[in-house]
Structure formats: structure tokens, C-alpha cells
Amino acid sequence: MLTASYAGNRTITIAEAEPVSPAQGQVQIKVAYTGLCGTDLHILHGNMDARVSTPLVFGHEMSGTISALGDGVTGWRVGDAVTVMPLDWDGTCPACLAGNQHICQNLNFIGIDSPGSLQGYWNVPSEVLVALPSTLRLDHAALVEPTAVAVHDVRRGNVQPGDKVVVIGGGPIGVLIASVAREFGGEVVVIELDPNRRAQIGELGFETLDPRETNQVDWVTQWTDGAGADIVFEVSGAAAAVLGATDLAKVRGTLVVVAIHPVPREINLQRLFWRELTILGARVYQRVDFEKAVELLDGGIIPADLLITKIVPLTETQDAFGDLEGGLAMKILVDVQAGS
Amino acid sequence: MLTASYAGNRTITIAEAEPVSPAQGQVQIKVAYTGLCGTDLHILHGNMDARVSTPLVFGHEMSGTISALGDGVTGWRVGDAVTVMPLDWDGTCPACLAGNQHICQNLNFIGIDSPGSLQGYWNVPSEVLVALPSTLRLDHAALVEPTAVAVHDVRRGNVQPGDKVVVIGGGPIGVLIASVAREFGGEVVVIELDPNRRAQIGELGFETLDPRETNQVDWVTQWTDGAGADIVFEVSGAAAAVLGATDLAKVRGTLVVVAIHPVPREINLQRLFWRELTILGARVYQRVDFEKAVELLDGGIIPADLLITKIVPLTETQDAFGDLEGGLAMKILVDVQAGS
């Protein structure tokens, strides 16, 4: 089989390797597709070198079929279509004991802290498997993981029918949040600088705003009859977006910070105070989010074809990251079996 | 009667004036005591000149007895001991219609946006009255308003029995929050730079920390068996405190921002994300907070005698602000009738 590894120094190495038999409690998955995401790009850029051990076979947004079962695995069969919720918690830390296993204080994120799915055959503990329905295409199923992120964010923001929702940043996660929020009954506007992305998002039926052309505070105030938005999702990662986001929310409204902000950001605490706002952090997902994500993709609620800009063979993984970096793609899938 | 007015240019003017009869729906209160607070100091410093009209008779933490009733006022009698919840909302804005009248989008804060209680006789709409029990001393009752702030903050932070609570900043509001949080069942530590304040707070039975002597993150981590605090109250107003506060909270913990931060502050959004924290703004109070505050003061739960550093006649209001400014006092009450 072929593997793609982050080798340090912004380099991906493609190598041949022998598949390993699954250990007790593990299953071996024949990986079909692996999506490349912003976190993978952070790894490639060396931003996470303090955390990852190289060479690292990375990748964690995936789909595939079970190819072998380790001893003691029950409830699964060879050939089952699956995806993976790549969280391996210790079950004993204070966060786990309080029921927040998904953000375990000693979390092993599979594909970052241990090997991921950019390889032909991948062994994982059976506990992390999520079943896929036969009606869901495997390329679309590679979007289950990022869709689960969006479901988690929308649940965390508690979007209710009729809520006015602002999504700042129209990249793949922004589009997924907008799609899920609409499915939960929200009315959504997406704020995005890039005109091509705005056009794509507009075709999905969402309002869009260019904040350089339109005063976003005036627009949102008018859209909400003077109240402000119920929920604002910050998905852009930009300092200016964070600083402006609090001005968009209603009294007792919510700002969900989804984007990674590696350095502290200025927040308008005067506005937080004045309107008694809530700011929430949201990280990864819980099993309920994965199950909802499968349902939304299977039901055609998620615009999978728009999000998947292209599918490349594993040998072209490095170039694919180049396209992501340049903003030329929403989501690129690696066809892990192609060329192997 | 005597009045004390903010006249602009850091100046307070003391003047003689004739009491005015209460209009329809108003009551006239013979003011006993008025507490001086941080907001009053902001007014005196000119920080709120864009909002206030001068000369402004200010003051809004008060106690007194009803001296006259306007037409149409029912349910109150001359001689009743009262305090005032100084919020006058429009009832028609989106915030009011959603049930958040206390942070009405067009709020008239009595004592800031209209005349306050630094005068011998004060007319207010009867709706803002709060009854005082005969067992509560009127000097202590002047602390009802700041105590209601603390009750609101503690309710907003949802402090539950057994919660580990960190209060950053041991001024009057910090001490009130610590006292209310303990009454709600929390275990409380107060982080405070000033050794005199730490000693006073320690005498009330609270743990205290000097963050220059003790690594506060290590201390809180150990205190909470590795989890982090359930709720952190930021009451200091300091930029460094805000930046460090997120490191003190547990997974899914809460940071309540109580202090006024007139300029944007840096927040560690990486930590917000990593631990799925909640940051809440908290402003003023609701009637339930006032009623609870009366109960806590009447029950001796609030350390009123410690908080009231001294009581001065109205003619010494300007000097009293000087003491507050210099950090020489927790709370100073003005005896509004003395010397008149």
C-alpha cells in the first residue's frame, strides 16, 4: 500500500508499506477517501511540530470499508462501509469524568497524535467506527467528519427555528455551518471576502455580504429589525472579524468561536458587558454529531458536490495542499487507492 | 435640602435646593444614605461626558424612607423604608420584548441618565421602589444595589453547591461576589494584589492569593484536583487578568466578565476553543436580584460593616471620591441628611 507522511520541513513523503494485521480490539479499514483540512495544513506548515512526531501518516477525514477484524471485535463485518470519529480519550481525567470525553485533557486525536488515514489500510480501535448507510457515496462520506464539526458548532450555539444566524467566513467549515444551521431552522447570512466563494454560497440560496462593500453592522441591524443576530459563528480566523463580531449580536446573543486563533485576540468586552453576550468555544464533536452528520449527508442536505473541488491520487497529496494554501479549492479529497 | 452634582471638569458642586413635590406615579424619598461607586468615579473623571448632562445630581446606591406620594401611587405609604432599582426601560425595544428589560436598548439608568440620590429628597417612579424590612439598618441597605450586582453575576455564572469559584479582584464588588457565591454553595478563592485587602478578605474566611507570589494556574489546578475552576469572575478590570483568566477554568468552565473594560482586551481564544469555555457578560440586575440582595443583607450574609469604610456628610462628597480614587476605601456612604 501507499502512505503519505508529513516528514517535517513542509514536506510530504510518499512511500510503499506493508499493511499490518489489526491487533486485538482493532479493525483494519481499506481507506477509500481522505479529505485534507486546515489542521493538516497547519501540520504541514510546521505549526504543530511541538505536538506531532515525524514522520506522521496524517489525515482524519475519511471513508472506507472494513477489510479485517482483530480478535474480540463484535458488531462489525468485513465489507461494512465506515468512517471514523478520530478521538481516543483516556476516560479518567476530570473532563472525561464530567462527561466531556470529546475534549479529554489527555486526548489522542487519531491522525495528529497517532497515525491517520492517508494510507491504503488503516488500523483503528473498533470504538471509533461510525457506520455508513449503503446509500451514501464514499466520496461524500469523507465529509462526515467536517460536517460533524459543523453539527457540533450549531448545537453548541443552540440554533433554533427562526433564529437569525451570521457566519463569518465562507470556507468549507463556514459553508457546512451555514447548511446545518439552515437545516436546524435558522436564517443564515454568510460574510465572505472572496467573490468566487460568495457566488458559490449564493447559489446554495444563502444571503452573502462583502464586508468591504456593505456596513455589516447596519445590514444585520436592519435584517433583524433592530435586534441584532441571535448567533454569530466566527469561522474566518481573522483578528478584525473577532473584534467586529460582538457588534453583530443581539442582547443576550451568542458568539461561537470556531476558527483557530493561535495568538490572543482583542475582544470588545464593553459590548460583551453591555449586551450580556455569551462567547463559546467549540471543539471537535461528540458521537451524536457524527450520527447527525451521516444523516445530513445521506439526505442530501449538505452540498457535498460543491464542497469537493477535486479528487486526487495519494501521490499528488503535496500539490493538493498547495491548492488549498492558495485558496484555489474548498475541499480536496485524496483517493487513497488510486495509483497503488 | 442639599444636592451634590457633577459639574464637569472633575468637580462636584454642593448646592441648596427646594424639594419638588412628586408628580403623578412618583414617590418622594427622603434619602438616608447614598453609596459612591466606580461608575460615579468614571462620571467624575469625565469618562462618561458624552452620556451625562451636567450639572448632574448623581448617585444610585441608596436607602431612605418615603416622604410623599404622587397621585395614583398605590401599595406604598409615607414612612416606608425603601431602596431603588434604578432602571427605567422603554418596554418596546427588541431586548425588552424578549424579556431582557434590565438591559433595554434605550435604558434610562436613574442617577446617570437622569437625576440620582445625592440630594435630600428624590422623586422616582413608584415602579422602581424595593421595600426594605424594618430589621435592616438603612446604612447597610445602601449596599443593596451593589449586592444585587453580585447576585446577578453569581446567578449568571450559575454557581452551584460545591463549585470551585475564583474571583479576580478583591474590591467591593469582588468581596460581594465572593460572599454571594459562598452563600450559593461555592468554595471561593479571591486573587488580589493589595495586602491590606487580602488580609480583610482572609478575615471573612476566604482563601486569598497574591498572583505575584503564587503561580495562580498551578494553585488553582492543585486546588481543583487537576480540573480547573468551575467559574471565574473577572472583577479587576486589568488587561493581564483577562488574558490569564481563561487558564484558570476547567473544561466547559465559565468566565464571567464583571469589570468594565473600556477598550478591547486580548483573550486567549486558543484556550477558549481547547476547553470549550464560556465567556459571559453580566450587567446590572433584575428584580429577583434586588430581592435576594435585601434578604442577604438582612440575614447578615453580606459583610456590610467591613465594606463600609466610612460615612461622610454630603458636603464632603468630593473628598470621599478622593479616598476611593486612592484605594483608601472599600465603600464610602454619604449621609445625605447630615449637615442639611
Side-chain angles (χ1 to χ4, degrees):
Chain A
M1 66 178 184
L2 290 178
T3 67
S5 301
Y6 167 61
N9 198 25
R10 290 182 173 249
T11 306
I12 290 169
T13 308
I14 307 296
E16 266 289 351
E18 277 304 305
V20 176
S21 294
Q24 174 142 0
Q26 288 187 332
V27 299
Q28 184 190 66
I29 303 172
K30 182 179 181 184
V31 179
Y33 299 96
T34 293
L36 305 180
C37 87
T39 304
D40 298 323
L41 201 56
H42 276 295
I43 293 174
L44 183 61
H45 287 172
N47 299 335
M48 295 168 72
D49 278 359
R51 179 172 165 190
V52 305
S53 313
T54 52
L56 172 74
V57 175
F58 58 157
H60 58 273
E61 304 182 357
M62 58 74 65
S63 61
T65 50
I66 294 178
S67 47
L69 302 174
D71 287 346
V73 173
T74 56
W76 298 99
R77 287 183 305 188
V78 170
D80 283 350
V82 292
T83 185
V84 159
M85 183 166 96
L87 307 181
D88 184 14
W89 48 78
D90 70 5
T92 59
C93 76
C96 284
L97 295 177
N100 297 308
Q101 292 90 344
H102 69 296
I103 42 177
C104 169
Q105 291 174 222
N106 306 301
L107 189 68
N108 166 23
F109 192 103
I110 303 172
I112 298 176
D113 304 309
S114 61
S117 62
L118 280 169
Q119 53 183 325
Y121 293 86
W122 186 37
N123 293 341
V124 296
S126 66
E127 292 77 16
V128 303
L129 295 176
V130 177
L132 297 175
S134 59
T135 43
L136 180 57
R137 287 163 45 177
L138 286 181
D139 55 346
H140 289 186
L143 299 181
V144 168
E145 197 265 5
T147 302
V149 167
V151 173
H152 188 68
D153 296 335
V154 169
R155 285 204 310 119
R156 189 113 171 92
N158 193 28
V159 173
Q160 297 294 320
D163 280 350
K164 299 281 178 105
V165 175
V166 177
V167 177
I168 306 175
I173 294 290
V175 171
L176 287 167
I177 288 173
S179 302
V180 175
R182 181 165 65 183
E183 178 64 13
F184 276 53
E187 287 181 56
V188 182
V189 62
V190 180
I191 299 176
E192 167 59 42
L193 297 174
D194 182 79
N196 294 326
R197 288 193 166 174
R198 277 203 310 280
Q200 286 183 309
I201 295 163
E203 280 171 29
L204 297 173
F206 295 108
E207 289 274 2
T208 63
L209 273 190
D210 177 353
R212 294 163 306 195
E213 295 274 323
T214 305
N215 181 312
Q216 62 183 25
V217 175
D218 290 349
W219 193 94
V220 169
T221 303
Q222 190 167 359
W223 183 52
T224 57
D225 297 326
D230 295 282
I231 301 119
V232 179
F233 292 93
E234 200 314 275
V235 200
S236 75
V242 175
L243 190 54
T246 43
D247 284 338
L248 303 177
K250 70 172 187 181
V251 163
R252 291 255 173 134
T254 300
L255 169 62
V256 185
V257 179
V258 173
I260 308 275
H261 292 273
V263 295
R265 297 293 193 204
E266 286 194 336
I267 299 258
N268 184 346
L269 295 181
Q270 172 65 23
R271 182 74 169 188
L272 176 87
F273 158 82
W274 196 253
R275 293 209 147 188
E276 289 201 331
L277 303 181
T278 297
I279 302 179
L280 297 175
R283 179 175 162 216
V284 296
Y285 25 65
Q286 293 160 297
R287 187 160 276 268
V288 62
D289 302 315
F290 253 74
E291 286 165 0
K292 187 72 182 177
V294 169
E295 179 192 321
L296 293 179
L297 277 155
D298 194 37
I301 304 299
I302 302 300
D305 288 322
L306 175 112
L307 286 165
I308 301 169
T309 307
K310 62 178 174 177
I311 300 178
V312 301
L314 186 133
T315 47
E316 294 175 18
T317 303
Q318 179 109 36
D319 289 343
F321 276 114
D323 288 348
L324 279 183
E325 219 164 349
L328 298 174
M330 277 280 198
K331 179 62 72 184
I332 300 179
L333 302 189
V334 173
D335 181 339
V336 176
Q337 299 299 329
S340 67
Chain B
M1 67 178 184
L2 289 177
T3 68
S5 301
Y6 167 62
N9 197 26
R10 291 182 173 247
T11 305
I12 290 170
T13 307
I14 308 296
E16 268 288 349
E18 277 303 304
V20 176
S21 296
Q24 173 143 2
Q26 289 187 329
V27 298
Q28 183 191 66
I29 304 172
K30 182 179 182 184
V31 179
Y33 299 97
T34 293
L36 305 180
C37 87
T39 304
D40 298 324
L41 202 56
H42 276 295
I43 292 173
L44 183 60
H45 286 171
N47 299 336
M48 295 167 74
D49 279 359
R51 178 171 166 194
V52 305
S53 313
T54 53
L56 172 73
V57 176
F58 59 157
H60 58 272
E61 303 182 358
M62 59 73 65
S63 62
T65 49
I66 294 178
S67 47
L69 302 174
D71 287 345
V73 174
T74 57
W76 298 97
R77 285 182 308 187
V78 170
D80 284 351
V82 292
T83 185
V84 159
M85 184 167 97
L87 307 181
D88 183 14
W89 49 77
D90 70 4
T92 59
C93 76
C96 284
L97 295 177
N100 296 309
Q101 292 89 344
H102 69 297
I103 41 176
C104 168
Q105 291 173 222
N106 306 302
L107 189 69
N108 165 24
F109 191 102
I110 303 172
I112 298 176
D113 303 308
S114 60
S117 62
L118 280 168
Q119 54 183 326
Y121 293 86
W122 185 37
N123 294 339
V124 296
S126 65
E127 292 78 16
V128 302
L129 295 175
V130 176
L132 298 175
S134 59
T135 44
L136 180 57
R137 286 163 46 180
L138 285 181
D139 55 347
H140 289 186
L143 298 180
V144 169
E145 196 265 5
T147 303
V149 167
V151 173
H152 187 68
D153 295 336
V154 169
R155 287 205 306 120
R156 189 113 172 91
N158 193 27
V159 173
Q160 297 292 320
D163 279 351
K164 301 280 179 107
V165 175
V166 177
V167 177
I168 306 175
I173 294 291
V175 171
L176 287 167
I177 288 173
S179 303
V180 175
R182 181 165 66 183
E183 178 64 14
F184 276 53
E187 287 182 57
V188 182
V189 62
V190 179
I191 299 177
E192 167 60 41
L193 297 174
D194 181 79
N196 294 325
R197 287 194 166 175
R198 277 203 309 280
Q200 287 183 309
I201 295 163
E203 280 171 29
L204 297 173
F206 295 108
E207 290 274 3
T208 63
L209 272 190
D210 178 354
R212 292 162 308 194
E213 296 274 324
T214 305
N215 181 313
Q216 62 183 27
V217 175
D218 290 350
W219 193 94
V220 169
T221 302
Q222 190 167 358
W223 183 52
T224 56
D225 297 326
D230 296 282
I231 301 119
V232 180
F233 292 93
E234 199 315 274
V235 200
S236 75
V242 175
L243 190 54
T246 43
D247 284 339
L248 303 176
K250 72 172 185 180
V251 163
R252 290 255 173 134
T254 300
L255 168 62
V256 185
V257 179
V258 173
I260 306 276
H261 291 273
V263 296
R265 296 294 194 204
E266 284 193 339
I267 299 259
N268 184 345
L269 294 182
Q270 173 66 22
R271 183 73 170 188
L272 177 87
F273 158 81
W274 195 252
R275 293 208 146 189
E276 290 200 332
L277 303 180
T278 297
I279 303 178
L280 296 175
R283 179 175 161 216
V284 296
Y285 25 64
Q286 293 160 299
R287 188 160 274 267
V288 62
D289 302 314
F290 253 73
E291 286 165 1
K292 188 72 181 176
V294 169
E295 180 192 322
L296 295 178
L297 277 156
D298 194 37
I301 303 299
I302 302 300
D305 288 323
L306 175 111
L307 286 165
I308 300 169
T309 307
K310 62 177 173 177
I311 300 179
V312 301
L314 186 134
T315 48
E316 293 175 18
T317 303
Q318 179 111 35
D319 289 345
F321 276 114
D323 288 350
L324 280 183
E325 218 164 350
L328 298 174
M330 278 280 200
K331 180 62 73 184
I332 301 179
L333 303 188
V334 172
D335 181 339
V336 176
Q337 299 300 327
S340 67

